[in-house]
Amino acid sequence: MKKKVYIISHSHWDREWYMAYEQHHMRLVQLMDDLLDLIEHDPEFHSFHLDGQTIILDDYLQVRPERKAAVQRAIASGKLQIGPFYILQDDFLISSESNARNMLIGMEESKKWGTPVMLGYFPDTFGNMGQTPQMMKQANLAAAAFGRGVKPIGFDNEVLEDRYTSQYSEMNWQGPDGTEIFGLLFANWYSNGNEIPAEETAAKAFWDQKLADAEKYASTDHLLMMNGVDHQPVQKDISKAITLANKLYPNYEFVHSSFAEYLEAVQTDLPEEIGQVTGELTSQETDGWFTLANTSSARVYLKHWNTKVSRQLENITEPLASMAFEVTGEYPHDQLDYAWKTLMQNHPHDSICGCSVDEVHREMLLRFEKANEVGKYLAEEAVEQLVSTIDTSDFPEGSSPFIVFNTASAAKSDPAQVDLELKRITFQEQYPSDGYETLAQEARKQYHVINQTGQTIPAVISEERIRFDYDLPKDRFRIPYMEKYVTVTIDVKDLPPFSWESFSLVEGAVDAMEGSLIKEEGRVLENGQVKVTIAGDGSISLTDKELGRTVNNLLVFEDVGDIANEYIFKQPKNDQAILSTSFDYRIEVLEDTPLTGKIRLVHELKIPQAAEDLLDLEQQMVVDFRERKAQRSDKRIPFILTTEITLDNHNRRVNFETRVNNQAKDHRLRVLFSTMITADTHEADSIYETVVRPTKPSKHWENPANPQHQHAFVNLHNQQYGLTVSNFGLNEYEIIDDTIALTLLRSVGEMGDWGYFPTPEAQCLGEHTFSFGVELHGEPASRYQTYKQAHSAQVPLTTRQTNVHSGLLKARHNYLLLEEDRFEVTALKRRKEDEALILRGYNLSDQATNLFVEKAGQAPAYQLNLLEERCGEFEATLQPYEIKTLEMKE
């Protein structure tokens, strides 16, 4: 029986990478022009796989709108194979919900044209998330194809205890929840059938090698040949090349094919034992150099922006818009789709990973800003619609009511801050400077804050200030004015998730609040739960009073050299780490109220200005980074780290905000937290999963570093206690013995990979701000509360002033009731086709638990898949690692 060779034409299309987006874009136009012409003129041309991403169609038709009909004909005939995703993302560096929306929007876009390719397509993601099997099954995809994460060893080699190697290019892939899908590894890469010769001598040499390579890993007689590679033009003589191959190799049948045909054939003939991989696939059993995990610290400003916009859309805008729908009956689907698509255009692996040329990443900043501004606008609209309908009539006439919203999925005990207008004078009433003077001359008043029952609430109220502001009414021209206002900070305690509470500023003095969270001239911050002490070497210790435990040597800054590139970190040989504990520091008290204690800790380091000049020569010579001899320069410059340490009255979590004006090159800055815990495994926040990872790498690992991905937190714990380090947009960490090392900044001067591409802006010179936190917990079961707090810390309280008025909505209201501290919500939104309220989240733990969710006294109506299609009645049990999407009754 003949072996069958399935040749799939494709081009892996990075929208932007070693050239600016428009350079790639213009080449895409040429590719699509050629492809459509070939489809129309070569009846033997079977099909072309459009790289699994529908955005290519948008990009092409933006320039060639007149060819829309030709595109539609090609898709309808099956010649152009599209979907199922919107873009090819880096799944580790974007949020859980971004991964889901990529499928949701991609499927929707695909179905506008025709039938999507039902394959989870991850040809070049830098590792694969552990929840891929469950996510694919919940998107009606039973198979995934990927290029990285598993080490192929070949049919003739013996698999011993290794878990992430494979004899075959075909395998079962099981997620942490037990879901299994068919996994297809591009063992010879997704270019193993690229540029097939149509001349006999060259074809013979080509196929002798390629067939042997494919047969080394194939578990069946169905061999896959990927006819394409990065930005590859379509092979116009592919039909001729296939005819020649059939002539030269009578024992093989060569066919121009598609993934659907290949998957059906190969899965039909699989042997009983093809092997299985489990969970995330990050090349755990390679030498460790090319996992590309260090892209999580390349151009860290991109990661900060991505977190900022993701939190705005997912955790602020959509929940508020979902609530406001009950007031207006309208939901901004189109505007949100625009914002999501704009954000996701920054999510391809060479974009969000920060491993492209400078021109690419400059354009990304504009997309982030655009998506963020849309999110802010829609959130402001929703808040205005809500506050106008919230009943504030119990507050005194003449007072200044305001509403505090918690749109996070955990109760928040944080200070809430709002600017409250006391009086305005419009430009129409007085010339601006005259209005300013009028307001300035008025007698200053005293104020306090009450809640809806009239109880006085602890508050810090600023002096009266004056500023310019304006209104933009929807039915008339703008209204500029001068405004007198105060900034009010109140003590919000245990505000439930997805709820709001009303307060009001009223005239009249009350007894001043007493109390201080700062002692010993700023060396100690202390509330009822924890105590923070600045040690003699400038590190800190943290004491949890309930646990009776102190952890020392926290907040130690470490700087080392980096002579590699945007993809990979490499410390120069014999380079010694520079630690903040070796330098002078000073302490300043910034804020000391009964609500908040804040100090400034300034470390004054001296570090090398850059690598020595040899590095520039080695880069130009394209010397492998592992073979480079360059050291750090002898010239040292000041490197001042300014950290604001904040402790709020009701929080166990300590917040840090570190600022630096980086003028050094070729280096990496981390902050170290010693835990005094040695454990075989640790946990980190990943995609719909609290992932458990080994603390030490496999026996195959040669890289001295073991970088890992994270989102909101990383945790080390034993049976007595644990420590959780949280962050905002700092996606790289490493566990070194008992220490959690959080990467703050990595400065490099070249892109890396396949040539020399200078990237001076990847040195990240200039001002940077890094936000992170630390919290202790007790026995293992209590760690999940710190995980919830790490997530909710990324979502600020929303505040808005209103006036005294009656309304249909209560002054204090829980929009949803959630009573499960292991259910982490990732979405509260409306479904497009019927406006149903959708709640999505996942189990933070590996234990089954009961899930209590109600809206207006009613449990959810249905369970949904990730495409938000009904798949069963609501089940109140949350299975281990389960991703659960619910349709709420209303």
Side-chain angles (χ1 to χ4, degrees), residues 265-326:
V266 74
Q267 288 181 272
T268 299
D269 289 347
L270 289 174
E272 288 188 11
E273 296 293 333
I274 59 170
Q276 178 173 286
V277 291
T278 304
E280 62 181 14
L281 309 179
T282 58
S283 302
Q284 294 98 319
E285 283 156 355
T286 65
D287 63 12
W289 280 114
F290 294 95
T291 68
L292 310 187
N294 287 124
T295 57
S296 57
S297 60
R299 300 181 189 260
V300 70
Y301 60 90
L302 298 176
K303 282 66 173 179
H304 181 272
W305 258 112
N306 186 61
T307 303
K308 179 179 179 179
V309 182
S310 298
R311 297 290 76 75
Q312 178 66 56
L313 295 180
E314 298 169 26
N315 304 106
I316 301 174
T317 302
E318 289 186 337
L320 289 170
S322 296
M323 297 176 190
F325 174 83
E326 301 193 15

Side-chain angles (χ1 to χ4, degrees), residues 610-672:
E612 59 187 5
D613 293 342
L614 175 60
L615 178 61
D616 183 58
L617 176 61
E618 290 176 322
Q619 289 172 341
Q620 293 183 52
M621 293 174 64
V622 197
V623 173
D624 185 294
F625 64 89
R626 293 168 294 182
E627 305 299 325
R628 291 175 181 173
K629 308 298 183 185
Q631 299 293 310
R632 301 188 80 177
S633 168
D634 292 332
K635 182 179 180 180
R636 297 204 170 199
I637 61 173
F639 192 68
I640 299 174
L641 297 164
T642 301
T643 303
E644 292 182 2
I645 305 176
T646 304
L647 182 64
D648 296 324
N649 187 32
H650 298 299
N651 263 328
R652 295 159 62 102
R653 181 179 182 270
V654 184
N655 299 296
F656 305 95
E657 189 171 88
T658 296
R659 293 184 174 88
V660 63
N661 183 356
N662 178 46
Q663 295 302 318
K665 299 178 181 179
D666 312 312
H667 70 120
R668 182 189 67 186
L669 173 68
R670 300 197 295 191
V671 60
L672 312 180

